[in-house]
Amino acid sequence: MADRPVLILDFGSQYVQLIARRVREQGAFAKIVRHDITAERCRELNPIGLILSGGPSSVYEENAPKCDSGLFRLGVPILGICYGMQLTCQNLGGAVQPCPSAEYGRTELNVLTGENVLFQNVDPKTIVWMSHGDQVREVGPEFIPLAATPSCPVAAVRHKSLPVYAIQFHPEVSHTTQGSTILGNFLNHVCGSDGSWTMAQFVERAVDLVREQVGPDEKVVCGLSGGVDSAVCAALLARALGDRLVCVFVDNGLLRQGERDQVAQAFGESSQAELRVVDAEAEFLGTLANITDPQDKRIRIGHTFIDIFKNEALSIPNAAWLAQGTLYPDVIESGGDPDGPAATIKHHHNVGGLPAELGFKLIEPLRDLFKDEVRRLGLELGLPESIVWRHPFPGPGLAVRILGAVDKPRLELLRKADSIFLEELHAAGLYRETSQSFAVLLPIKSVGVMGDGRTYDQVIGIRSVQTDDFMTADFSRLPYDLLARVSTRIVNEVKGINRVVYDITTKPPGTIEWE
Ligand code: XMP
């Protein structure tokens, strides 16, 4: 059962990935597919249920995205959400019209009494999130109304003879207070999900899959960055392949304090995999000497990394595969799944064309997972919390956190200041509350006074943000007392710094990094 997916047909809703996550939270394996998937292909994928997502179109527009009407005859349970409801009802004899006025926001839903499995254990009056300009006006004799709101008389329906349900509101957003109960009812009581899609099961299946993919004499090369995705990817591959996995960690000299040791500890003794640490500080600092332009820094670092990684990878006997920690949102957004929706925005900082250039095949064992699932997988595989819950860190490392030219003394200053900040954040129990927190070395000097003397020293910027997707962010409201401790310690303990400032810019208009 856990292997059979719930397919989510993507009609362009901004919430489509959220629906998938909510389904997975209920222990069912959700996969997002293109809206025009054929009934035939659908049958092959053997889903336990289909969810038709919302979307920005109107079903009566000429070019509105439609679905294969054969889907409704497969006998597979269907839940239409918002646009998906309108499409479902239109397909099965209902009429859709513009609302007298668009309904947007929290609304009270009246659940009608009667046999109503979708609303089992839901209050008779419950708050739901609406966001629609059209609605179903008439459902015809084949449907039974299940719920209504003051301005949407047909807010939920069930088909009389088919396992088809439809709702006008969005159960996936947290504003719908009993949304998970409603989705759970559909999955467990209509689709017959047994809620058994767990991380332990995922590990078992993923390990089998890797063993099937990789030949007995072949080795897999996995680049470690210090970040959570590559670490979890490596841990999973190590479980499947043992010493046929070779991890390559390029120490570019631009890492945070203690980072190299942490990676070595997690992948050294505890794993059968081979760990190759390449000490490349000199090459990176050489290519960065006197370079101040941020993009120039990034390009130089990228090229140097590829050269070094390539050399190392090509020196590994029988290396045939390159592992990449690609996640599900990247696969979906880059159009990388043949059944998935078309590409939207691609934002990948990964190794790009490297596998082909090396003559390697590409293996991506995390491509079905969301970020929070990757973390759960990491814990399941026994990785330490310090790696699993680590904030993201840019590939170009501290080089883009030193504004202006990068050299060893500046890196040393920044590393110390950054580690003081993170240490205090951990001590205050706030590290996991923030999404990304770090120090930046500014390219200016300012006047200060220490003891009886005047100082003229450098400035550290402290940045801490809250974000779900790193596309937009707000600055963290850190307690003043914590900021005061961080500031005092940095100025006292890091020679060369006499001033600390806190960055209170949101993104946009700012970015998270300073360069
Ligand atoms: P910005 O600064 O664009 O950052 O708001 C958004 C997220 O991306 C990370 N970032 C990078 N990651 N290479 C990376 O691997 C880069 O060049 C890069 N620039 C920014 C940043 O740390 C944040 O998490």
Side-chain angles (χ1 to χ4, degrees):
M1 173 63 72
D3 279 340
R4 292 180 59 196
V6 173
L7 299 182
I8 299 163
L9 276 66
D10 180 5
F11 290 95
S13 165
Q14 56 176 323
Y15 299 133
V16 73
Q17 291 194 19
L18 193 56
I19 302 175
R21 294 177 54 159
R22 295 282 181 255
V23 170
R24 290 181 181 195
E25 280 165 17
Q26 304 275 345
F29 177 47
K31 263 187 101 68
I32 299 168
V33 296
R34 43 192 308 138
H35 66 83
D36 55 359
I37 186 168
T38 62
E40 195 42 47
R41 178 67 186 140
C42 200
R43 200 199 311 270
E44 283 166 18
L45 294 172
N46 192 22
I48 57 169
L50 303 180
I51 294 179
L52 312 192
S53 84
S57 313
S58 282
V59 289
Y60 44 77
E61 279 170 4
E62 203 181 319
N63 294 324
K66 294 284 164 67
C67 61
D68 183 340
S69 58
L71 295 176
F72 297 98
R73 291 191 295 274
L74 288 174
V76 176
I78 292 181
L79 176 67
I81 297 177
C82 195
Y83 180 84
M85 168 176 189
Q86 295 155 20
L87 201 61
T88 301
C89 292
Q90 191 195 45
N91 259 280
L92 298 172
V96 177
Q97 284 175 4
C99 307
S101 59
E103 192 180 19
Y104 185 80
R106 287 187 177 83
T107 311
E108 191 174 71
L109 183 82
N110 288 307
V111 179
L112 307 176
T113 50
E115 194 206 331
N116 197 341
V117 80
L118 196 63
F119 291 92
Q120 197 173 298
N121 298 324
V122 174
D123 300 335
K125 286 186 188 302
T126 185
I127 298 299
V128 298
W129 182 259
M130 288 286 199
S131 172
H132 61 119
D134 291 340
Q135 64 188 27
V136 175
R137 295 302 297 179
E138 273 170 33
V139 279
E142 292 306 311
F143 282 97
I144 300 171
L146 300 179
T149 73
S151 57
C152 181
V154 190
V157 292
R158 157 167 92 78
H159 197 273
K160 277 185 183 160
S161 52
L162 302 172
V164 172
Y165 288 76
I167 51 184
Q168 184 54 64
F169 58 89
H170 290 270
E172 68 277 17
V173 303
S174 56
H175 308 301
T176 298
T177 47
Q178 293 180 289
S180 338
T181 310
I182 297 166
L183 262 184
N185 285 338
F186 173 69
L187 296 167
N188 301 322
H189 304 316
V190 182
C191 302
S193 163
D194 57 9
S196 64
W197 193 75
T198 60
M199 266 311 143
Q201 266 220 351
F202 176 87
V203 171
E204 246 175 67
R205 282 189 302 136
V207 162
D208 287 348
L209 204 71
V210 170
R211 287 184 182 149
E212 275 168 34
Q213 259 184 306
V214 179
D217 302 325
E218 293 179 328
K219 285 198 170 177
V220 176
V221 181
C222 180
L224 290 174
S225 67
V228 53
D229 302 345
S230 64
V232 175
C233 183
L236 182 65
L237 291 168
R239 169 87 54 108
L241 302 170
D243 61 3
R244 285 188 290 142
L245 174 70
V246 184
C247 294
V248 176
F249 180 62
V250 178
D251 182 350
N252 56 14
L254 307 167
L255 304 169
R256 288 165 290 188
Q257 192 131 294
E259 199 149 15
R260 176 173 169 164
D261 294 343
Q262 273 192 17
V263 170
Q265 226 166 35
F267 289 94
E269 314 86 64
S270 65
S271 155
Q272 276 190 303
E274 182 187 346
L275 173 65
R276 296 190 175 195
V277 178
V278 188
D279 192 344
E281 183 186 38
E283 280 97 321
F284 281 92
L285 294 193
T287 186
L288 286 172
N290 303 316
I291 303 298
T292 54
D293 177 69
Q295 283 322 89
D296 199 3
K297 285 182 187 175
R298 277 192 170 78
I299 291 166
R300 284 163 182 266
I301 292 168
H303 286 161
T304 310
F305 175 82
I306 287 176
D307 286 347
I308 291 172
F309 189 85
K310 239 172 23 186
N311 259 340
E312 194 61 33
L314 289 173
S315 75
I316 299 169
N318 300 329
W321 296 82
L322 183 69
Q324 198 165 297
T326 315
L327 305 192
Y328 196 46
D330 295 328
V331 174
I332 289 299
E333 280 158 27
S334 60
D337 179 349
D339 290 316
T344 46
I345 335 151
K346 184 169 178 175
H347 59 102
H348 244 214
H349 295 298
N350 281 336
V351 285
L354 248 187
E357 218 182 300
L358 289 167
F360 286 6
K361 295 171 273 190
L362 182 63
I363 187 164
E364 297 174 305
L366 309 181
R367 57 183 283 125
D368 278 336
L369 299 184
F370 288 108
K371 188 83 177 184
D372 51 335
E373 293 170 333
V374 169
R375 292 210 161 97
R376 290 208 333 259
L377 175 59
L379 293 173
E380 179 75 35
L381 290 165
L383 283 176
E385 298 229 344
S386 58
I387 287 194
V388 168
W389 288 105
R390 171 158 267 208
H391 290 168
F393 186 59
L398 298 182
V400 289
R401 293 179 179 172
I402 292 175
L403 279 70
V406 178
D407 57 29
K408 220 168 162 169
R410 287 190 178 100
L411 280 162
E412 226 15 72
L413 274 190
L414 178 57
R415 224 170 250 140
K416 275 192 195 143
D418 188 66
S419 77
I420 290 172
F421 176 36
L422 294 185
E423 198 179 304
E424 289 295 335
L425 201 59
H426 276 292
L430 291 174
Y431 180 81
R432 270 178 53 183
E433 307 285 311
T434 68
S435 311
Q436 198 171 1
S437 304
F438 54 91
V440 186
L441 182 63
L442 305 189
I444 49 168
K445 285 188 158 189
S446 78
V447 173
V449 52
M450 271 180 133
D452 292 331
R454 178 183 179 280
T455 57
Y456 187 54
D457 271 335
Q458 299 190 77
V459 182
I460 281 286
I462 297 292
R463 180 84 162 134
S464 180
V465 294
Q466 308 300 124
T467 172
D468 287 329
D469 57 7
F470 296 87
M471 311 284 273
T472 61
D474 194 4
F475 72 90
S476 309
R477 304 311 199 253
L478 295 182
Y480 279 173
D481 287 350
L482 168 63
L483 290 171
R485 273 196 304 281
V486 171
S487 161
T488 307
R489 278 196 59 194
I490 290 178
V491 170
N492 283 333
E493 294 174 35
V494 188
K495 201 167 157 13
I497 303 294
N498 68 351
R499 190 177 295 266
V500 176
V501 296
Y502 188 51
D503 180 352
I504 53 168
T505 322
T506 56
K507 173 184 179 176
T511 48
I512 294 174
E513 303 291 345
W514 277 49
E515 278 200 336

